[in-house]
Amino acid sequence: MNKENIIEITHVNKVFSDPDPFVKDPGLNALRNVSFTVRNNEFVSLVGPSGCGKSTLLKLIAGLDKEYEGTVSLCGVDVKESRVPVSYMLQKDCLLPWRTIMSNILLPVEVRKGDIKKVRQKMESLISEFGLSGFENYRPNQLSGGMRQRAALLRTYLMEGEIMLLDEPFGSLDEITRMQMQDWLIRVWEKHKKTVLFVTHDIDEAVYLSDRVLVMSTRPGTIIGDIPVTFGRPRVREMLLGTEFNGYKKRLLEMLSKTED
Ligand SMILES: Nc1ncnc2c1ncn2[C@@H]1O[C@H](COP(=O)(O)OP(=O)(O)O)[C@@H](O)[C@H]1O
Ligand SMILES: [Mg+2]
């Protein structure tokens, strides 16, 4: 393996078939010959039409589904052979309603029986960075949608591992909150630099946030484009108004429109 490639996906095929052996089922071909790599500390977005297999792919990378052909390796380790810890966040915030924000955030540390005292020491600055100061003892239903997503992101951030898999984290937010969350995520990422694989169906979001955008075809999903975004960092909103940005958008739209049946 090339040491730089923290995520390496090679010729992955995934078919969902009915577990009942008496059902004559040809199976549903979800992923077809998917190959790509992500380098250490890169922010890569994966865009593609709904149902093309994005969430399926993330589940394979997270090691939650091992029924597939091909290889998924993280930090040089085949995930079928041994567990590689990753931070994984679903579109739904999945915060436990009966727990306070603080105890929701500390859940992954609790689950892995980590040193809560040690983590708590750095919590104050993280809580403030994630815009949650003063809300530590609130329950999730007392927070706005954006705050809940930030709490879920902080919880994801505290999971073990250098790789963050984010599955449409802002998909359910209104446009203004989504914009604020993008700006905030970009600032946090530019400071902390983790390897991020970010699933979205929003082209602007993908270009604005990423170092590289991977484009997926309709199901069975395969990678049909790999576009480096060469805007400098820090990213600022004005970039979204320029001709360079529109160039990226046009290329991506063209690729995605070709995927329609
Ligand atoms: N557990 C499952 N069993 C059978 N089919 C599934 C399962 N999960 C997803 N699929 C199917 O696989 C395809 C890809 O789904 P998904 O990965 O959720 O797409 P996306 O995240 O890109 O919208 C869809 O057609 C979906 O119905
Ligand atoms: Mg999905």
Side-chain angles (χ1 to χ4, degrees):
M1 159 194 99
N2 178 341
K3 250 189 153 176
E4 272 276 286
N5 292 336
I6 193 162
I7 303 179
E8 244 178 346
I9 314 287
T10 324
H11 304 306
V12 164
N13 290 301
K14 165 77 189 171
V15 178
F16 286 108
S17 32
D18 200 301
D20 185 341
F22 295 105
V23 175
K24 272 218 166 93
D25 169 27
L28 182 131
N29 206 347
L31 298 170
R32 173 174 50 94
N33 198 17
V34 173
S35 298
F36 65 90
T37 56
V38 177
R39 286 187 294 279
N40 200 12
N41 291 342
E42 221 182 354
F43 194 122
V44 174
S45 284
L46 183 64
V47 292
S50 175
C52 74
K54 303 181 294 297
S55 298
T56 302
L57 182 58
L58 244 54
K59 247 177 244 157
L60 304 188
I61 301 174
L64 301 176
D65 180 356
K66 296 187 173 164
E67 302 292 315
Y68 59 88
E69 286 171 11
T71 35
V72 173
S73 84
L74 303 182
C75 314
V77 177
D78 186 331
V79 299
K80 271 191 192 168
E81 277 157 28
S82 100
R83 199 185 86 87
V84 182
V86 292
S87 312
Y88 178 36
M89 180 177 153
L90 304 169
Q91 180 168 347
K92 272 177 62 195
D93 61 45
C94 296
L95 296 172
L96 302 175
W98 60 89
R99 283 185 159 228
T100 63
I101 290 304
M102 181 60 105
S103 70
N104 260 294
I105 290 169
L106 290 173
L107 196 63
V109 186
E110 212 177 299
V111 169
R112 68 169 182 262
K113 299 198 167 55
D115 188 345
I116 295 235
K117 261 198 200 143
K118 205 168 145 204
V119 176
R120 267 185 183 275
Q121 281 167 6
K122 60 174 186 181
M123 278 313 277
E124 206 171 314
S125 71
L126 281 172
I127 285 270
S128 126
E129 226 176 293
F130 280 66
L132 296 164
S133 296
F135 292 88
E136 295 89 333
N137 295 319
Y138 281 54
R139 314 269 158 193
N141 68 357
Q142 295 170 307
L143 264 56
S144 68
M147 280 187 135
R148 280 201 299 273
Q149 287 308 94
R150 286 203 297 273
L153 273 165
L154 179 49
R155 185 179 58 181
T156 310
Y157 180 80
L158 289 179
M159 291 178 184
E160 283 178 291
E162 287 308 302
I163 301 169
M164 280 184 100
L165 306 174
L166 306 177
D167 195 351
E168 305 205 32
F170 309 146
S172 59
L173 301 174
D174 63 83
E175 201 166 333
I176 296 168
T177 314
R178 175 197 280 255
M179 235 163 54
Q180 291 166 341
M181 291 289 290
Q182 291 164 351
D183 288 340
W184 166 82
L185 177 66
I186 237 171
R187 279 199 310 276
V188 173
W189 180 80
E190 280 167 357
K191 183 165 166 216
H192 293 272
K193 285 279 165 97
K194 276 202 180 201
T195 306
V196 178
L197 185 57
F198 185 96
V199 167
T200 178
H201 54 244
D202 182 327
I203 294 177
D204 289 16
E205 181 169 85
V207 176
Y208 182 47
L209 298 175
S210 314
D211 295 317
R212 200 147 56 85
V213 181
L214 299 171
V215 186
M216 254 174 119
S217 68
T218 42
R219 190 180 62 77
T222 193
I223 306 292
I224 52 165
D226 183 341
I227 299 177
V229 180
T230 53
F231 280 134
R233 293 195 185 266
R235 298 271 161 97
V236 284
R237 283 259 148 214
E238 287 70 53
M239 290 171 171
L240 292 171
L241 304 169
T243 47
E244 195 183 346
F245 182 83
N246 279 327
Y248 284 122
K249 200 167 167 174
K250 189 161 171 270
R251 264 178 85 187
L252 285 163
L253 281 169
E254 272 166 11
M255 281 184 178
L256 287 163
S257 65
K258 278 193 206 123
T259 72
E260 281 165 17
D261 302 318

